[in-house]
Amino acid sequence: MAVSANANGQEVSAAKKDAVRDKSVYSPVQTSRIDHTPTLPSVLQGNFKLNHGPPSTSAGQPEEIQKLFPCLFGQPSVQIVKSDSPSYNVDQKLKVGVVLSGGQAPGGHNVIAGFFDYLQAHAPGSVLYGFKGGPAGIMRNKVVEITAEFLYPYRNQGGFDIICSGRDKIETPEQFQQAVDTVTKLDLDGLVVIGGDDSNTNAALLGEYFRSKKVKCHVIGCPKTIDGDLKSVEVPISFGFDTACKIYAEMIGNIMVDARSTGKYYHFVRLMGRAASHITLECALQTHPNVAIIGEEVNSQNKTLREVTNSIADLVCQRAEMGKHYGVVLIPEGLIDFIPEIQHLISELNEILANQGCDEHGHWKSTLKPPSRALFDSLPHSIQEELLLERDPHGNVQVSRIEMEKMLISMIETELFARKHEGSYSGQFKGQAHFFGYEGRCGMPTNFDTTYCYALGYAAGALMHLGQTGLIASVANLTAPASEWTVGGTALTQLMDVERRNGKNKPVIKKAMVELNGAPFKKFASVRDAWAVEDSYVSPGPIQFAGPTSDDTNFTLKLELGAPVDV
Amino acid sequence: MAVSANANGQEVSAAKKDAVRDKSVYSPVQTSRIDHTPTLPSVLQGNFKLNHGPPSTSAGQPEEIQKLFPCLFGQPSVQIVKSDSPSYNVDQKLKVGVVLSGGQAPGGHNVIAGFFDYLQAHAPGSVLYGFKGGPAGIMRNKVVEITAEFLYPYRNQGGFDIICSGRDKIETPEQFQQAVDTVTKLDLDGLVVIGGDDSNTNAALLGEYFRSKKVKCHVIGCPKTIDGDLKSVEVPISFGFDTACKIYAEMIGNIMVDARSTGKYYHFVRLMGRAASHITLECALQTHPNVAIIGEEVNSQNKTLREVTNSIADLVCQRAEMGKHYGVVLIPEGLIDFIPEIQHLISELNEILANQGCDEHGHWKSTLKPPSRALFDSLPHSIQEELLLERDPHGNVQVSRIEMEKMLISMIETELFARKHEGSYSGQFKGQAHFFGYEGRCGMPTNFDTTYCYALGYAAGALMHLGQTGLIASVANLTAPASEWTVGGTALTQLMDVERRNGKNKPVIKKAMVELNGAPFKKFASVRDAWAVEDSYVSPGPIQFAGPTSDDTNFTLKLELGAPVDV
């Protein structure tokens, strides 16, 4: 018999359902959103069928991908199109599962809602299980049955708290076997994996494994990450990016108004988004800061930390001459990963910490290579301490704990102090540091994310019902009204390349970085010099759920799709 | 001839106007707000007259206040009521000024818009000057003429950037004379001062001075501060509090959803609001955190820092036993000012730093009194450094730079580590620190602040036109629809008491602290134990400008006015 888990993680019979969430404490806005009905793309209304494309290949090294995915490699991507009659067995009831994997992103609940509503509409009598706490819930068979009543209060709401998420991976042969045991025990026809690049790679591996073991369970992925780095031609955007950027942009816009009103602070805003700088770029397009550092550009130009800070100091001096002693600077969380010299320093530090350790007299510093030594000595004391003190469980420096925004402020202060001394600067520089992260991950999804996620979940249901596996739900034509969006499934192997890790070939969906010759960056690059000196600040204000512009999407997506924008 | 100043602060002829703001870079929400027309209380529509109340007194020491305000003391407060015909000279044209004083608060632009629109409607042909950069603009006669075209793009927008603000005070006899010179040169009939408690005290002193010197310029104040600590029976709320709290509550609500979804972080959120804890209390009522520290309560119970942190550690342990390793704690920015032992330590440190200084071997510590020494030694290293390193220009410890949220996390970590060692705690405690400040000060004003500020400005115009001076515009009955709001002016001396400073009697408008027997705190105290252990989190979501609840005001105001609330 199927088992599930209560809130404390104890396993209980599936018959005993989790308590339905008490929505008596909902805010008026939360309450007003519950009954909002997202527009469904018209191809998902009425009857539909699949159009199969040509055999697929991979993003790189197709022979290697074929070796890793002997069953799934080459299968075509599909489009859902209208048909005269149902193309599935109308009497079929499905038993299916869903799992949320990795960090939260606004809209996750709506993917589940879309999936659930598909089943209600097209396969009534089906059963939907939610795996609790991420992939670990699959391995340990921690599950809750998602009913209409249970799902209702989460509709159009932020967060992943309906079944929570987790960062575990299904990796070892034992873990794959646990997954087989669970889906067999639950008699699952399919599993929807909602996650980022890693999770979707894992979804493909799971689909391959199930197929190879003749397990009937199909696997469909959905693209999730606020960072915006899971995308391709077929999957134009990951969900959550739109909402998170708009929340950050609201706050940045407010700070800009404050900066201009007060006239005496430089605000340095670090934004979540580690691997790629999409969030920083989108927020820049929305708000027009004086500076937005794009990690990919810094890296491509092999810039040093000093070059980055000096260019900001130059602008501070230039603005001071215009009588402006304020400004706003956006910094991607992952900046430190993009500056080669810092990476060298950190890897040397990791080595030293692992072997000799650091003596308190600082003799250890002589083992640093000269460029790293010079860089270390140039860092503010507090950052030196962070580099030496914060370690992760593997003994490595915890880069994510380093408050890059404070580091830049401190280094610019030092530089400007020197310039003041020389007489080349006579202003007042006061930095204010901000980090926007958690505020954006669990916001209430925008109309775009609400609608997009619902379509993704509905599409996942349709793909599964039509016998598909190893696909990622792909909803496109996103700059058109939602009714005109196209819907399909892209072979997950199509997005893959191979990386060599620990002597083995591993399939990976490569993170989509900011393209320096892509439309969003080029638009930014064409206007940033004006933004640097003029005050072109834009204040997007709070996300609105009603009104003429509440359905607007983001600049990055529009520019990438060639839609007109007004930046 | 009148002079004004351009953006670079150079004085120019008043005939040369500042450039009209370019709104081509406005966001859709900004643009949609510009043409929003706030509802005017019905008493301000059509003809009106003044009803005078009885002679006023003061909040304390009336004889002393009378000595300080021989001209203004005792003047009645007034109510604006409907009348059959205009009660003012319909041909009178006014020359008036307005100044924004102190920190920004959402709605300031609308006070100016209300004032301007009053003049257009009732004294057409009047001239409105804006003093630039706060009270310094009065002393230095830096002024811009506010025309319809100049004002338009600032309507319903956040910030104070139309004329900016400043923190200078008009204090010395020379400065009062400068103010006289300016208003005489500009031939001003009146001046509206938009500010907090200090600025309104200054407004009263200026009104008194002008009256005593037979200068015709009248002075009317308007209550501004996001901190919510300028209020009385007559002035139920200061503007900006509503918007700032709702912006903070949006972010807190998002973080709560994240906390519950992730299940592994305790978020410590420090909120702007130095002197009083109104913002923290209001945000608690809006979002239901596990803990909200109210400074006034900590102070009234003479709590030690250790008691504060241990009570949070107790809750962490209790929740760990329930399987919950996450939570949200709200902290007022001014907490440090409310803990007596920290105040003692800081004053001893100030003394030591001013006299002997701190030797690097720490011998100076022996000059601390034993309780302060014990407290200092118990503090995290980083906080000890902040206490010793950060000084203001007077050599004092800069309390506002101390990251109280990090200090609490660090001390709770230490405590829980000890408990783990003893075996009384076995959970995982991971703290995340946040500070919400600037994000809220310059947000786009809520419908409430938009309407309230417009009414305040319109009222200020009416009061001035009807020959009043030394009053603060007071708009009340605020839980009714805006059309039913009552409008009047309260004698500023009525709000005053006397404090002895540097051997002199100084008039002060006392800051309104959180009343521990007031309705907002009592409501909070009645429910907080449940919030501590249950997850009663509420996510208010982004501020909406349209929809059924977009005109709602805040819990603090409703509870103080005895209106029903649903917490």
Side-chain angles (χ1 to χ4, degrees), chain A residues 8 21 25-30 104 158-161 164-165 167 247 250-251 254-255 257-258 260-262 264-265 267 288 322-323 381 385 403 406 432 434 436 438-439 441-444 536-546 549, chain B residues 8 21 25-30 104 158-161 164-165 167 247 250-251 254-255 257-258 260-262 264-265 267 288 322-323 381 385 403 406 432 434 436 438-439 441-444 536-546 549:
Chain A
N8 296 333
R21 184 179 192 170
V25 291
Y26 267 27
S27 72
V29 175
Q30 282 180 302
Q104 284 104 83
F160 275 6
D161 43 330
C164 296
S165 181
R167 294 188 181 276
I247 292 173
E250 174 195 357
M251 297 299 121
N254 290 356
I255 283 174
V257 175
D258 203 285
R260 183 166 49 195
S261 293
T262 313
K264 63 180 180 185
Y265 293 121
H267 294 272
H288 307 190
M322 302 165 72
H381 185 64
E385 284 205 338
E403 295 174 304
K406 291 189 179 170
Q432 292 281 356
H434 307 266
F436 295 150
Y438 297 93
E439 300 88 331
R441 296 200 321 180
C442 275
M444 224 171 274
S536 311
Y537 302 153
V538 176
S539 190
I543 291 167
Q544 299 296 295
F545 296 121
T549 58
Chain B
N8 295 333
R21 185 178 191 170
V25 291
Y26 268 27
S27 71
V29 175
Q30 282 180 301
Q104 283 103 85
F160 275 7
D161 43 329
C164 297
S165 180
R167 294 186 182 277
I247 291 173
E250 175 195 356
M251 297 298 121
N254 290 358
I255 283 175
V257 174
D258 203 286
R260 183 166 50 198
S261 292
T262 314
K264 63 179 180 184
Y265 293 121
H267 294 271
H288 308 188
M322 301 165 73
H381 184 65
E385 283 204 340
E403 296 174 305
K406 291 190 178 168
Q432 291 282 357
H434 307 265
F436 295 151
Y438 298 91
E439 299 88 330
R441 298 201 319 181
C442 276
M444 225 171 273
S536 311
Y537 302 152
V538 176
S539 190
I543 291 168
Q544 297 298 295
F545 296 121
T549 59

Side-chain angles (χ1 to χ4, degrees), chain B residues 48 72 85 112 146 246 252 259 273 279-280 285 288 293 300 338 398 425 447-448 494:
Chain B
F48 46 79
L72 295 181
S85 57
I112 298 176
I146 296 176
K246 285 174 182 164
I252 296 164
I279 289 178
T280 299
L285 291 166
H288 308 188
I293 303 175
S300 79
F338 285 109
Q398 269 197 288
Y425 171 67
N447 283 351
F448 173 78
Q494 169 98 11

Side-chain angles (χ1 to χ4, degrees), chain B residues 392-552:
Chain B
D392 68 15
H394 309 288
N396 293 327
V397 170
Q398 269 197 288
V399 178
S400 67
R401 298 288 295 267
I402 294 174
E403 296 174 305
M404 202 64 194
E405 67 284 16
K406 291 190 178 168
M407 175 161 155
L408 294 189
I409 289 171
S410 176
M411 295 185 72
I412 292 165
E413 268 172 1
T414 307
E415 172 66 22
L416 291 173
F417 184 80
R419 293 189 191 187
K420 217 164 189 170
H421 215 71
E422 286 167 17
S424 62
Y425 171 67
S426 62
Q428 280 287 338
F429 173 80
K430 287 186 195 166
Q432 291 282 357
H434 307 265
F435 171 52
F436 295 151
Y438 298 91
E439 299 88 330
R441 298 201 319 181
C442 276
M444 225 171 273
T446 56
N447 283 351
F448 173 78
D449 270 328
T450 303
T451 310
Y452 179 55
C453 288
Y454 190 75
L456 284 173
Y458 212 93
L463 293 170
M464 196 165 274
H465 202 186
L466 293 168
Q468 300 297 301
T469 188
L471 305 182
I472 184 168
S474 44
V475 176
N477 195 31
L478 295 171
T479 55
S483 62
E484 298 167 29
W485 289 356
T486 60
V487 180
T490 299
L492 278 162
T493 47
Q494 169 98 11
L495 308 178
M496 285 187 190
D497 201 340
V498 167
E499 273 184 12
R500 196 87 189 153
R501 287 189 195 159
N502 301 325
K504 280 188 181 167
N505 279 342
K506 291 273 182 193
V508 289
I509 297 175
K510 279 229 169 148
K511 283 189 192 294
M513 308 302 284
V514 170
E515 297 288 347
L516 300 183
N517 54 13
F521 182 81
K522 278 162 76 177
K523 169 57 80 176
F524 165 68
S526 73
V527 283
R528 63 174 157 184
D529 290 347
W531 295 349
V533 289
E534 297 163 11
D535 294 347
S536 311
Y537 302 152
V538 176
S539 190
I543 291 168
Q544 297 298 295
F545 296 121
T549 59
S550 56
D551 288 330
D552 252 30

Side-chain angles (χ1 to χ4, degrees), chain A residues 191-346:
Chain A
L191 171 68
V192 169
V193 176
I194 302 169
D197 51 341
D198 269 0
S199 306
N200 274 288
T201 303
N202 217 219
L205 288 167
L206 212 50
E208 175 72 25
Y209 192 81
F210 290 162
R211 175 68 59 93
S212 72
K213 298 292 177 191
K214 308 262 186 298
V215 174
K216 71 170 175 176
C217 185
H218 289 192
V219 182
I220 301 289
C222 284
K224 171 232 72 168
T225 167
I226 65 162
D227 294 355
D229 56 10
L230 167 56
K231 60 182 166 189
S232 67
V233 175
E234 304 85 355
V235 180
I237 191 170
S238 58
F239 76 78
F241 175 75
D242 188 76
T243 306
C245 288
K246 285 174 181 164
I247 292 173
Y248 299 142
E250 174 195 357
M251 297 299 121
I252 295 164
N254 290 356
I255 283 174
M256 285 170 161
V257 175
D258 203 285
R260 183 166 49 195
S261 293
T262 313
K264 63 180 180 185
Y265 293 121
Y266 272 87
H267 294 272
F268 285 68
V269 182
R270 178 168 48 116
L271 294 164
M272 201 170 248
R274 181 77 188 277
S277 301
H278 297 290
I279 290 178
T280 299
L281 179 57
E282 172 64 26
C283 288
L285 292 167
Q286 288 194 28
T287 65
H288 307 190
N290 301 105
V291 179
I293 303 174
I294 303 302
E296 288 84 342
E297 185 185 28
V298 169
N299 191 261
S300 80
Q301 300 176 342
N302 198 15
K303 278 199 179 167
T304 64
L305 181 58
R306 175 66 58 197
E307 286 168 336
V308 171
T309 55
N310 276 5
S311 72
I312 300 174
D314 291 345
L315 181 64
V316 171
C317 293
Q318 191 185 348
R319 289 177 60 87
E321 281 172 24
M322 302 165 72
K324 295 177 180 177
H325 302 282
Y326 59 91
V328 176
V329 179
L330 307 187
I331 307 162
E333 188 182 21
L335 176 58
I336 210 163
D337 295 325
F338 285 109
I339 300 179
E341 61 168 356
I342 300 187
Q343 289 308 301
H344 297 152
L345 171 62
I346 287 174

Side-chain angles (χ1 to χ4, degrees), chain B residues 10 17 57 119 153 159 163 173 194 243 321 337 350 360 370-371 429 446 468 470 478 504:
Chain B
Q10 295 148 346
K17 300 212 180 70
T57 175
L119 297 171
I163 48 175
I194 303 169
T243 305
E321 281 172 23
D337 295 325
N350 284 341
E360 64 182 40
F429 173 80
T446 56
Q468 300 297 301
L478 295 171
K504 280 188 181 167

